[in-house]
Amino acid sequence: MSGNSIGKLFCVTTFGESHGPALGCIVDGCPPGLELSVADLQRDLDQRKPGTSRHTTQRREADEVKILSGVFEGKTTGTPIGLLIENTDQRSRDYSDIAETFRPAHADYTYHMKYGLRDYRGGGRSSARETAMRVAAGGIAKKYLKECLGMEVRGYLAQLGPIKVRRLCWDEIDNNAFFCPDPDIVPELEAYMDALRKEGDSVGARINVVATGVPPGLGEPVFDRLDADLAHALMSINAVKGVEIGDGFACIEAKGSCFRDEITPQGFLSNHAGGILGGISSGQSIVAGIALKPTSSLRLPGRSINVRGEPVNVVTTGRHDPCVGIRATPIAEAMTAIVLLDHLLRHRAQNQHVHTSLQPVPAEL
Amino acid sequence: MSGNSIGKLFCVTTFGESHGPALGCIVDGCPPGLELSVADLQRDLDQRKPGTSRHTTQRREADEVKILSGVFEGKTTGTPIGLLIENTDQRSRDYSDIAETFRPAHADYTYHMKYGLRDYRGGGRSSARETAMRVAAGGIAKKYLKECLGMEVRGYLAQLGPIKVRRLCWDEIDNNAFFCPDPDIVPELEAYMDALRKEGDSVGARINVVATGVPPGLGEPVFDRLDADLAHALMSINAVKGVEIGDGFACIEAKGSCFRDEITPQGFLSNHAGGILGGISSGQSIVAGIALKPTSSLRLPGRSINVRGEPVNVVTTGRHDPCVGIRATPIAEAMTAIVLLDHLLRHRAQNQHVHTSLQPVPAEL
Amino acid sequence: MSGNSIGKLFCVTTFGESHGPALGCIVDGCPPGLELSVADLQRDLDQRKPGTSRHTTQRREADEVKILSGVFEGKTTGTPIGLLIENTDQRSRDYSDIAETFRPAHADYTYHMKYGLRDYRGGGRSSARETAMRVAAGGIAKKYLKECLGMEVRGYLAQLGPIKVRRLCWDEIDNNAFFCPDPDIVPELEAYMDALRKEGDSVGARINVVATGVPPGLGEPVFDRLDADLAHALMSINAVKGVEIGDGFACIEAKGSCFRDEITPQGFLSNHAGGILGGISSGQSIVAGIALKPTSSLRLPGRSINVRGEPVNVVTTGRHDPCVGIRATPIAEAMTAIVLLDHLLRHRAQNQHVHTSLQPVPAEL
Amino acid sequence: MSGNSIGKLFCVTTFGESHGPALGCIVDGCPPGLELSVADLQRDLDQRKPGTSRHTTQRREADEVKILSGVFEGKTTGTPIGLLIENTDQRSRDYSDIAETFRPAHADYTYHMKYGLRDYRGGGRSSARETAMRVAAGGIAKKYLKECLGMEVRGYLAQLGPIKVRRLCWDEIDNNAFFCPDPDIVPELEAYMDALRKEGDSVGARINVVATGVPPGLGEPVFDRLDADLAHALMSINAVKGVEIGDGFACIEAKGSCFRDEITPQGFLSNHAGGILGGISSGQSIVAGIALKPTSSLRLPGRSINVRGEPVNVVTTGRHDPCVGIRATPIAEAMTAIVLLDHLLRHRAQNQHVHTSLQPVPAEL
């Protein structure tokens, strides 16, 4: 129950640092009888892993996951699933500069202030490398949701810097390096990223996640609302600075007469609420969006201080993502799936039946 | 650990329905020795309570809180604090219409689907009336943070429908019915709300919360980040559809060279991050913003269905807030304070010292 | 999640001190649709309440419970159930002696050392008065278990000081002031207690609890075993110093060939294990026993110290139970029922079906 | 928060099966700055590991633990510590008999009923092999308690079958294969065990644990009492059927005038309570005892059923401990240390100071 666990019934606890020997996690609470193999998890891991295109960090990690427990004869047994990924590309380099310096906008300063010491190699625990385990654990959740209930959790890049997606073609997402659903803007994205890399700068992004086939009734009043737990899970992703459910911040200027999603016997007429009413799923698609800040690891020098409080100039020379948002899509999917499965199990505990929903309105872009 | 608790060490559990006999909560984990009386909690409760201006619901509730335990001779004892507020203005009216109808965009449908039955009187558990207890519990957290560490948690209305606050005068917030820090726009707000009420419509709003005096080091990697827990707590407030930390969604279009908050020996040079790096407080002001949707209780008729799946037209005749955001300011403050105190206690548990921060950059509007 | 909650899915949180205005609790996670009224809870409360015979404390409390939320039109709604019992017999007496004195073997010294201050009136939070709320909350669990699954949780006095029960007549338990299932020894018990009261001394007791109709499969490996959670719940009752499952400490001298409960197609041939194997219920009766120490509130003077570390002589003149074990039977039943319902809900969450058991062996005395 | 975690602030989550590729655990919440290496954990692991004498199972496991995270430059960082032990001696044998059979008094039947399927190789998750990780995690807790507070947690064999320890020489415990503190009875124990092995039978045992140097104030009212959490932790050890604190079940026949531990300015005059009053440590030694049942894996045939409900005769031919109690001493120490450290952290969170105790009475045998 310390800070490295998420979920009450489907509970994921991760460990591992960027440049330690391995990353790992324990998935506790997965129902028994689910067919599960390494192959089920590897696809999402491959999507998240670094070095797959010139637009992401050139660190090379195989990110091959091992299942150490909880699966027997190809099926989950109900006991905790231990997962492990060994770090293979921790270059032996000299960290003495970074050891004493607080890189601006990194967790260096806050970890140091919190703990009094820190593993400074590649950001240690604060590195996004930890999210590999989230993707692995989320893969289990996604498989269960899909096989047992037909639910699907899918994400996509909705905006990269100033470039916004204009149409949502689900089939296109895997056809480019950006998880972009709009093939028309892919050349634009590539040109933008190439220029950015030359500048030595970075930029933010927006990822949307949509869950379909969600039964109504998931979510608990009043604190563990489904949207509150999604906000927690999504905000826990490195670099995320904002979370929206449904229309999100656009609701501020909306009138109630337009915003409320009216219902007919044939289904909801709109989905401004993003599939959640009173913290509980309505059976419509769950729609969430997140904003990811630009990475702070830049070749452009920045002012900061060292552990002695002296001013220093920081230039990042390591391998970094100019847009951390690009690789965040499978992570956002994973976190969403973990929350949904956790709430499905919580719902089942208290309520005997999982209801069928009204025909949901399709989620719009 | 069911859905009605928040906080791991400073843990608040609430109960009560809109039209039941009483609301209550248990605050477990408050450190001993804090001077505490009903008066400490009543001010915030009075701010949140309905019927204080023509711009909020005309339901009249005294919202007088009783302390039933955990305080002895004027001081907290370390044992759980039981709080109670009796409902006094549950008008005896005929609920037969609402009993069978799912009001659009309310929790009626989702509660019914989840539980198979529901307390339909005034929304039951899903009513924002429950937030009275959050404000009471948050008042304890606010007092502890202020007296023991000099921390302050303050919120304000940042936008109401299309009207945005242009300057932040903390002293003005209590001088109007809107928690508005900009006296120049108060007449505009009044005119807008009067027109809205005549229309029978409602509108959204944005509330910002700022916590000052926060020591660095609060927050846990990797799931229980301070920002993730704030997102959870703030998204759990009724009608909230979005949460931002620091610059929030504006980070999407930002370049890393501008967004990163540089540090000098004299302090941070900016606070785009909202006072949190790597999920841990930096010692700068914590800045969060939330979007609240327009209430769905309107005099304008809306389409929906009843429990038999038949189409119905819904008109809300009860007493409702045309902008639920107005009364949300003390609630957002309360939730923020609860999260901060919880993390302060968690920090103390693992780390012997609470560090002093660099001089923080003042939070800008 | 602080110290005053028990249960993960059926979660009970209590508040209140011996001489404060009221005791209360929140029961979160009760499934919806259970018929529930005050009358369902009052019977057990009346059994536990003080002053019902000359063998227990003469404090007079009505112990009338109010249901403040979570029940609508006679049925639970799935939302948290708030319960309240007002204290009515807090005699206004002079506590100045006890305020500065640590009564030997009470919690006075440890609360003072923990918190630096304490509510000294009647033991404050450490008083067994708090168990009234456990009995009320447990009453809800007992009702659910009985109505939905036919499970029954019943306790009895198995030993009082040197006097052991020799036969188990369930029907006799309510026919005497001791929850004694053996009518033959009741006169012995009465004589013993009368003599004890004259001496001004106190004595220990043993309570057994038996749960019947338990389906197999309840309990989680490896830490939240059903027996581990029962041990936790039972040891949390005031004055309990030991917990046994099944044969308990008698297993030390047993040979495996005798102790193992063999199975035939017709059922288990014995129940040395007390209905739990590997931490999971076997479908046999769950059998647990607890040892309660003699109360330390005696008319016989005892040596102790005061808050200044000076030696004092302590004589208890208040109203106390010469054998706290007597009133512990409904408390032990309540705690057992809370644990069983919590594990039933946890089981349901992860596993779709609750299995039918082999014919269980009847629990022996 | 599922069943495979223990501790709220010092939280240990384990995974792994008897015959899977590896066992592992995550220790989350260890304070930063503790010097820690594999050598610190290996001593206790070597004590627990099988095959060290002819009186325990002849399975040969190196039980070499790896630290995968949370330690940097020889010190804990405050981030989660990942531990791994590979299984090396999983003999490739034919499990087809055991696959369909429920061995009497094992968890075979209950796991099958709970999950519908099970890893039958060597008991899978229900095997005591899992306790290797508890010992490793407990080693971290023991080290922290000793180095930072001078606390020591030590256990010993108090009884094996009918043979009781008569004196407590702490220095003798490591000088024999039984963790026996009484050198006089070691020959008796050896003869008894040799005879038992010849019979093909097994026997129970009692282990006592004593923690010294415990500050007063650890433990939470009312459910998370220190004794309740110890009972939970100790009962969660495989084969444990009873837990006592202090005098335990002997309190039933005790009079209050003798049982209460009187206090003088020089300290407590006795320690019947086992160092815990009102659920909170008194500063005296914590004393707990547990009863372990005889293992059910015997060469003597026993009646049972198979998965089709047919009667079968079960004879265990594998490698097993004739007295599982022997190897339980380091496990009981580990569980006790985990609970104590968890409560120390919880205490620190809420209370600023850890008090110094009165001179404690030495724990007697």
Side-chain angles (χ1 to χ4, degrees):
Chain A
M1 285 181 217
S2 198
N4 296 278
S5 296
I6 196 163
K8 293 203 170 163
L9 289 178
F10 183 81
C11 182
V12 177
T13 308
T14 75
F15 69 83
E17 280 87 37
S18 172
H19 286 62
L23 304 165
C25 80
I26 303 177
V27 177
D28 199 5
C30 182
L34 177 71
E35 288 192 15
L36 190 71
S37 72
V38 162
D40 293 314
L41 311 180
Q42 201 61 49
R43 185 188 157 278
D44 282 3
L45 282 168
D46 289 346
Q47 288 195 321
R48 191 215 70 95
K49 82 177 176 189
T52 53
S53 85
R54 70 179 185 277
H55 305 299
T56 62
T57 168
Q58 293 309 298
R59 178 172 174 170
R60 301 264 165 204
E61 287 290 352
D63 278 3
E64 280 177 12
V65 68
K66 286 180 197 161
I67 298 176
L68 296 179
S69 67
V71 176
F72 180 62
E73 298 183 338
K75 286 187 178 168
T76 59
T77 60
T79 59
I81 302 170
L83 301 175
L84 199 78
I85 294 176
E86 283 169 55
N87 286 326
T88 55
D89 186 16
Q90 321 103 289
R91 290 193 191 168
S92 57
R93 49 165 286 206
D94 181 9
Y95 283 104
S96 54
D97 54 338
I98 208 177
E100 303 227 314
T101 299
F102 302 130
R103 292 169 297 165
H106 279 83
D108 298 346
Y109 174 72
T110 53
Y111 270 62
H112 181 86
M113 292 303 276
K114 182 174 188 66
Y115 298 118
L117 80 177
R118 67 192 165 92
D119 179 349
Y120 45 74
R121 301 166 303 166
R125 182 72 179 149
S126 71
S127 164
R129 178 129 192 77
E130 179 267 343
T131 58
M133 295 322 304
R134 304 188 186 202
V135 171
I140 299 174
K142 282 168 80 173
K143 184 154 204 247
Y144 187 87
L145 292 172
K146 186 161 187 184
E147 301 212 344
C148 296
L149 285 111
M151 287 170 64
E152 281 208 80
V153 181
R154 291 179 299 180
Y156 60 87
L157 178 86
Q159 185 175 352
L160 187 152
I163 308 166
K164 290 184 190 178
V165 162
R166 289 181 295 264
R167 56 196 186 100
L168 175 47
C169 313
W170 286 109
D171 293 343
E172 292 293 333
I173 290 168
D174 288 351
N175 293 342
N176 58 76
F178 304 99
F179 301 96
C180 174
D182 180 354
D184 304 346
I185 66 164
V186 170
E188 232 179 302
L189 293 173
E190 295 193 326
Y192 186 89
M193 287 299 293
D194 288 340
L196 193 67
R197 220 164 38 245
K198 265 180 213 150
E199 285 172 42
D201 214 335
S202 64
V203 80
R206 178 193 175 94
I207 304 293
N208 286 349
V209 183
V210 178
T212 54
V214 181
L218 307 193
E220 302 286 327
V222 294
F223 295 116
D224 291 355
R225 289 163 195 252
L226 184 55
D227 38 6
D229 277 4
L230 282 171
H232 174 266
L234 294 170
M235 190 69 92
S236 82
I237 300 173
N238 306 47
V240 172
K241 301 305 288 181
V243 178
E244 294 184 323
I245 303 295
D247 287 5
F249 280 86
C251 77
I252 297 173
E253 304 200 13
K255 290 279 180 75
S257 51
C258 300
F259 191 87
R260 62 178 166 181
D261 300 309
E262 293 179 297
I263 319 175
T264 70
Q266 288 71 43
F268 289 90
L269 296 177
S270 56
N271 190 12
H272 297 292
I276 301 175
L277 294 171
I280 298 172
S281 66
S282 66
Q284 294 185 278
S285 292
I286 306 279
V287 183
I290 55 174
L292 293 110
K293 70 173 185 180
T295 181
S296 309
S297 304
L298 309 177
R299 289 204 325 274
L300 304 172
R303 279 169 292 179
S304 193
I305 56 172
N306 62 21
V307 293
R308 290 174 297 279
E310 300 156 353
V312 292
N313 249 315
V314 176
V315 176
T316 304
T317 53
R319 304 159 293 173
H320 292 281
D321 289 279
C323 176
V324 287
I326 293 178
R327 294 200 287 137
T329 296
I331 309 169
E333 289 177 3
M335 296 313 296
T336 302
I338 288 168
V339 170
L340 285 170
L341 179 48
D342 188 47
H343 273 283
L344 176 70
L345 300 185
R346 292 172 75 172
H347 179 71
R348 271 187 194 157
Q350 198 189 23
N351 304 284
Q352 298 292 339
H353 304 292
V354 174
H355 294 278
T356 316
S357 70
L358 285 173
Q359 183 69 25
V361 170
E364 303 298 324
L365 180 57
Chain B
M1 286 183 216
S2 198
N4 296 278
S5 297
I6 195 162
K8 292 203 171 163
L9 289 180
F10 184 80
C11 182
V12 176
T13 308
T14 74
F15 69 83
E17 280 87 36
S18 173
H19 286 62
L23 304 165
C25 80
I26 302 177
V27 177
D28 200 4
C30 183
L34 176 71
E35 289 192 16
L36 190 71
S37 72
V38 161
D40 293 316
L41 312 180
Q42 201 61 49
R43 185 187 157 278
D44 282 3
L45 282 167
D46 289 346
Q47 287 195 320
R48 192 215 69 94
K49 81 178 179 189
T52 54
S53 84
R54 71 180 184 278
H55 305 299
T56 62
T57 168
Q58 294 307 300
R59 177 171 173 171
R60 301 262 166 206
E61 286 289 353
D63 277 3
E64 279 177 13
V65 68
K66 285 181 197 162
I67 299 176
L68 296 179
S69 67
V71 176
F72 180 60
E73 297 183 339
K75 287 186 177 167
T76 59
T77 60
T79 58
I81 302 170
L83 300 176
L84 200 78
I85 292 176
E86 283 170 53
N87 286 326
T88 54
D89 187 16
Q90 322 102 289
R91 291 194 191 167
S92 57
R93 48 166 284 204
D94 182 7
Y95 282 104
S96 55
D97 53 338
I98 208 177
E100 304 226 313
T101 300
F102 303 130
R103 291 169 299 164
H106 280 82
D108 299 347
Y109 175 71
T110 54
Y111 270 61
H112 181 85
M113 292 303 276
K114 181 173 189 64
Y115 299 117
L117 81 176
R118 67 191 164 95
D119 179 349
Y120 45 73
R121 300 166 303 165
R125 182 74 179 148
S126 72
S127 164
R129 178 128 192 79
E130 179 267 342
T131 59
M133 294 322 303
R134 304 188 185 202
V135 170
I140 299 174
K142 283 168 80 173
K143 185 152 203 249
Y144 186 87
L145 293 172
K146 186 161 188 185
E147 301 211 345
C148 297
L149 285 112
M151 289 170 63
E152 282 207 80
V153 181
R154 291 179 300 180
Y156 59 89
L157 179 85
Q159 185 176 351
L160 188 153
I163 308 166
K164 289 183 190 178
V165 162
R166 289 181 294 263
R167 56 194 185 102
L168 174 47
C169 313
W170 286 110
D171 294 344
E172 291 292 334
I173 290 168
D174 289 351
N175 293 341
N176 60 74
F178 304 99
F179 300 95
C180 174
D182 180 352
D184 303 346
I185 65 164
V186 170
E188 233 180 301
L189 293 172
E190 295 194 326
Y192 186 88
M193 287 299 294
D194 287 341
L196 194 67
R197 222 165 37 246
K198 263 179 215 151
E199 284 173 41
D201 214 334
S202 64
V203 81
R206 178 193 175 94
I207 304 292
N208 286 350
V209 184
V210 178
T212 55
V214 181
L218 308 192
E220 304 286 326
V222 294
F223 295 116
D224 291 354
R225 288 163 196 252
L226 185 55
D227 40 5
D229 277 3
L230 281 172
H232 173 266
L234 293 170
M235 191 68 93
S236 81
I237 300 172
N238 306 48
V240 172
K241 300 306 289 181
V243 178
E244 294 185 323
I245 304 294
D247 286 5
F249 280 86
C251 78
I252 297 172
E253 304 200 12
K255 290 278 180 76
S257 52
C258 301
F259 191 86
R260 61 178 166 181
D261 300 308
E262 292 179 296
I263 320 177
T264 71
Q266 287 70 46
F268 289 90
L269 295 176
S270 56
N271 190 12
H272 297 292
I276 301 174
L277 293 171
I280 299 173
S281 65
S282 66
Q284 293 186 277
S285 293
I286 307 278
V287 183
I290 55 175
L292 293 111
K293 71 173 185 180
T295 182
S296 308
S297 302
L298 309 178
R299 290 205 322 274
L300 304 172
R303 278 169 292 178
S304 194
I305 56 171
N306 62 20
V307 293
R308 288 173 300 280
E310 300 156 352
V312 292
N313 249 315
V314 176
V315 176
T316 304
T317 53
R319 304 159 292 173
H320 291 282
D321 289 280
C323 176
V324 288
I326 293 178
R327 294 200 288 137
T329 296
I331 308 169
E333 289 176 4
M335 297 313 295
T336 302
I338 288 168
V339 170
L340 285 170
L341 180 48
D342 188 46
H343 273 283
L344 176 70
L345 301 185
R346 293 173 75 171
H347 180 72
R348 270 187 195 158
Q350 199 188 22
N351 303 284
Q352 297 292 339
H353 304 291
V354 173
H355 294 277
T356 317
S357 70
L358 285 175
Q359 184 68 25
V361 171
E364 302 298 323
L365 181 56
Chain C
M1 286 182 217
S2 198
N4 296 279
S5 296
I6 196 162
K8 293 202 169 163
L9 289 179
F10 183 80
C11 182
V12 177
T13 308
T14 74
F15 70 83
E17 280 87 36
S18 173
H19 286 63
L23 304 164
C25 80
I26 302 177
V27 177
D28 199 5
C30 183
L34 177 70
E35 289 193 14
L36 190 71
S37 71
V38 161
D40 293 315
L41 312 179
Q42 201 60 50
R43 185 189 157 276
D44 282 3
L45 282 168
D46 289 347
Q47 287 195 322
R48 192 216 69 96
K49 81 177 178 190
T52 54
S53 85
R54 71 180 185 276
H55 305 299
T56 62
T57 169
Q58 293 308 298
R59 177 172 174 169
R60 301 262 165 205
E61 287 289 352
D63 278 3
E64 280 177 11
V65 69
K66 285 180 198 162
I67 298 176
L68 296 180
S69 67
V71 176
F72 181 61
E73 298 183 338
K75 286 188 179 168
T76 58
T77 60
T79 59
I81 302 170
L83 301 176
L84 199 78
I85 293 176
E86 284 170 53
N87 285 325
T88 54
D89 187 16
Q90 322 103 289
R91 289 193 193 169
S92 58
R93 49 164 287 205
D94 181 9
Y95 281 103
S96 55
D97 54 337
I98 208 175
E100 304 227 313
T101 300
F102 302 129
R103 292 169 298 166
H106 280 83
D108 299 346
Y109 175 72
T110 53
Y111 270 61
H112 181 86
M113 292 303 276
K114 182 174 189 65
Y115 299 117
L117 80 176
R118 67 191 163 93
D119 179 349
Y120 45 75
R121 300 165 304 167
R125 181 73 178 148
S126 72
S127 164
R129 178 129 193 76
E130 178 267 342
T131 58
M133 294 323 303
R134 305 188 185 203
V135 170
I140 299 174
K142 284 168 79 173
K143 186 154 203 248
Y144 186 87
L145 293 172
K146 187 160 186 185
E147 299 210 346
C148 296
L149 285 112
M151 287 171 63
E152 282 208 79
V153 180
R154 290 179 301 180
Y156 59 89
L157 179 85
Q159 186 175 351
L160 187 154
I163 309 165
K164 291 182 189 178
V165 162
R166 288 180 296 263
R167 58 196 185 101
L168 175 46
C169 313
W170 287 109
D171 294 343
E172 291 293 334
I173 289 169
D174 288 350
N175 293 340
N176 59 74
F178 305 99
F179 300 95
C180 174
D182 179 354
D184 302 346
I185 66 163
V186 170
E188 234 180 300
L189 292 173
E190 295 195 325
Y192 186 88
M193 287 298 294
D194 288 340
L196 193 68
R197 221 164 40 245
K198 264 180 213 150
E199 283 172 43
D201 215 334
S202 65
V203 81
R206 178 193 175 94
I207 304 293
N208 286 349
V209 183
V210 178
T212 54
V214 181
L218 308 193
E220 304 286 328
V222 293
F223 295 116
D224 291 354
R225 288 164 196 251
L226 184 55
D227 39 5
D229 277 4
L230 281 171
H232 175 267
L234 294 170
M235 191 68 92
S236 82
I237 300 173
N238 307 47
V240 171
K241 301 304 289 182
V243 177
E244 294 184 323
I245 304 294
D247 286 6
F249 280 85
C251 78
I252 297 172
E253 304 200 12
K255 290 279 180 73
S257 52
C258 301
F259 191 87
R260 61 178 167 181
D261 301 308
E262 294 180 294
I263 320 176
T264 70
Q266 288 71 46
F268 289 90
L269 295 177
S270 56
N271 190 11
H272 298 291
I276 301 174
L277 293 171
I280 299 173
S281 66
S282 66
Q284 293 187 278
S285 293
I286 306 278
V287 183
I290 55 175
L292 293 110
K293 71 172 185 181
T295 181
S296 308
S297 303
L298 308 177
R299 288 203 326 273
L300 304 172
R303 279 170 290 178
S304 194
I305 56 171
N306 63 21
V307 292
R308 289 174 299 279
E310 300 157 350
V312 292
N313 250 316
V314 176
V315 176
T316 305
T317 53
R319 304 159 292 174
H320 293 281
D321 289 279
C323 177
V324 289
I326 293 177
R327 294 201 285 138
T329 296
I331 309 168
E333 289 177 3
M335 297 312 297
T336 302
I338 288 168
V339 170
L340 286 169
L341 180 48
D342 188 47
H343 273 283
L344 176 69
L345 300 185
R346 293 173 74 172
H347 179 72
R348 270 187 194 158
Q350 199 188 24
N351 303 283
Q352 298 292 338
H353 304 291
V354 174
H355 294 277
T356 317
S357 71
L358 284 174
Q359 183 69 25
V361 170
E364 302 298 322
L365 179 55
Chain D
M1 285 182 219
S2 197
N4 295 278
S5 296
I6 194 162
K8 293 202 170 165
L9 290 179
F10 184 81
C11 181
V12 176
T13 307
T14 75
F15 70 83
E17 281 88 36
S18 173
H19 286 62
L23 304 165
C25 79
I26 302 177
V27 177
D28 198 5
C30 183
L34 177 71
E35 289 192 15
L36 191 71
S37 71
V38 162
D40 293 315
L41 311 180
Q42 201 60 49
R43 186 189 155 274
D44 282 4
L45 282 168
D46 288 346
Q47 288 196 321
R48 192 216 70 94
K49 82 178 178 190
T52 54
S53 84
R54 70 180 185 277
H55 306 299
T56 61
T57 168
Q58 293 309 299
R59 177 171 174 171
R60 301 264 166 204
E61 287 288 354
D63 278 1
E64 280 177 12
V65 68
K66 285 180 198 162
I67 299 176
L68 296 179
S69 67
V71 176
F72 180 61
E73 297 183 339
K75 287 188 178 167
T76 58
T77 60
T79 58
I81 302 169
L83 301 176
L84 199 77
I85 293 175
E86 283 169 55
N87 285 326
T88 54
D89 187 17
Q90 322 102 288
R91 291 193 191 166
S92 57
R93 48 164 288 204
D94 181 8
Y95 282 104
S96 55
D97 54 337
I98 207 176
E100 304 227 313
T101 300
F102 303 130
R103 291 167 299 164
H106 280 83
D108 300 346
Y109 175 72
T110 53
Y111 270 61
H112 180 87
M113 292 303 276
K114 181 173 190 65
Y115 299 118
L117 79 176
R118 68 192 164 92
D119 178 349
Y120 45 75
R121 301 164 304 166
R125 181 73 180 149
S126 71
S127 164
R129 179 131 192 76
E130 178 267 342
T131 59
M133 294 323 303
R134 304 188 185 203
V135 170
I140 299 174
K142 283 168 80 173
K143 186 154 202 248
Y144 186 87
L145 292 173
K146 186 161 187 184
E147 301 211 345
C148 297
L149 285 112
M151 287 170 64
E152 282 208 79
V153 180
R154 290 179 301 181
Y156 60 88
L157 178 86
Q159 185 175 352
L160 186 154
I163 308 166
K164 291 183 190 179
V165 162
R166 288 180 296 262
R167 56 195 185 101
L168 175 47
C169 312
W170 286 109
D171 294 343
E172 291 292 335
I173 290 169
D174 288 352
N175 294 340
N176 59 75
F178 305 99
F179 301 94
C180 174
D182 180 353
D184 303 347
I185 66 164
V186 170
E188 233 179 300
L189 293 172
E190 295 194 324
Y192 187 89
M193 288 299 294
D194 288 340
L196 195 66
R197 222 164 39 244
K198 263 180 216 153
E199 284 173 42
D201 214 333
S202 64
V203 80
R206 177 193 177 96
I207 304 293
N208 286 350
V209 184
V210 178
T212 55
V214 181
L218 308 191
E220 303 286 327
V222 296
F223 294 117
D224 291 354
R225 289 165 195 249
L226 184 55
D227 39 5
D229 277 4
L230 281 171
H232 174 267
L234 294 170
M235 191 68 92
S236 82
I237 300 172
N238 307 46
V240 172
K241 301 304 288 181
V243 177
E244 293 185 323
I245 304 294
D247 287 5
F249 280 86
C251 78
I252 297 172
E253 305 201 11
K255 289 279 181 75
S257 51
C258 300
F259 191 87
R260 61 177 166 181
D261 301 308
E262 292 180 296
I263 320 176
T264 70
Q266 287 71 45
F268 289 90
L269 296 176
S270 56
N271 189 13
H272 297 292
I276 301 174
L277 293 171
I280 299 173
S281 66
S282 66
Q284 294 186 278
S285 293
I286 306 278
V287 183
I290 55 175
L292 293 111
K293 71 173 185 180
T295 183
S296 308
S297 303
L298 309 177
R299 290 204 323 274
L300 305 172
R303 280 170 290 179
S304 194
I305 57 172
N306 62 20
V307 293
R308 290 174 299 280
E310 300 156 352
V312 292
N313 249 316
V314 176
V315 176
T316 305
T317 53
R319 304 158 294 173
H320 292 281
D321 289 279
C323 176
V324 287
I326 293 177
R327 294 200 287 137
T329 297
I331 309 168
E333 289 177 2
M335 298 311 297
T336 302
I338 289 168
V339 170
L340 285 170
L341 179 48
D342 188 46
H343 274 282
L344 176 69
L345 301 185
R346 294 172 74 172
H347 180 71
R348 272 187 194 158
Q350 199 189 24
N351 303 283
Q352 298 291 340
H353 304 291
V354 173
H355 294 277
T356 316
S357 71
L358 284 174
Q359 183 69 26
V361 171
E364 303 297 324
L365 179 56

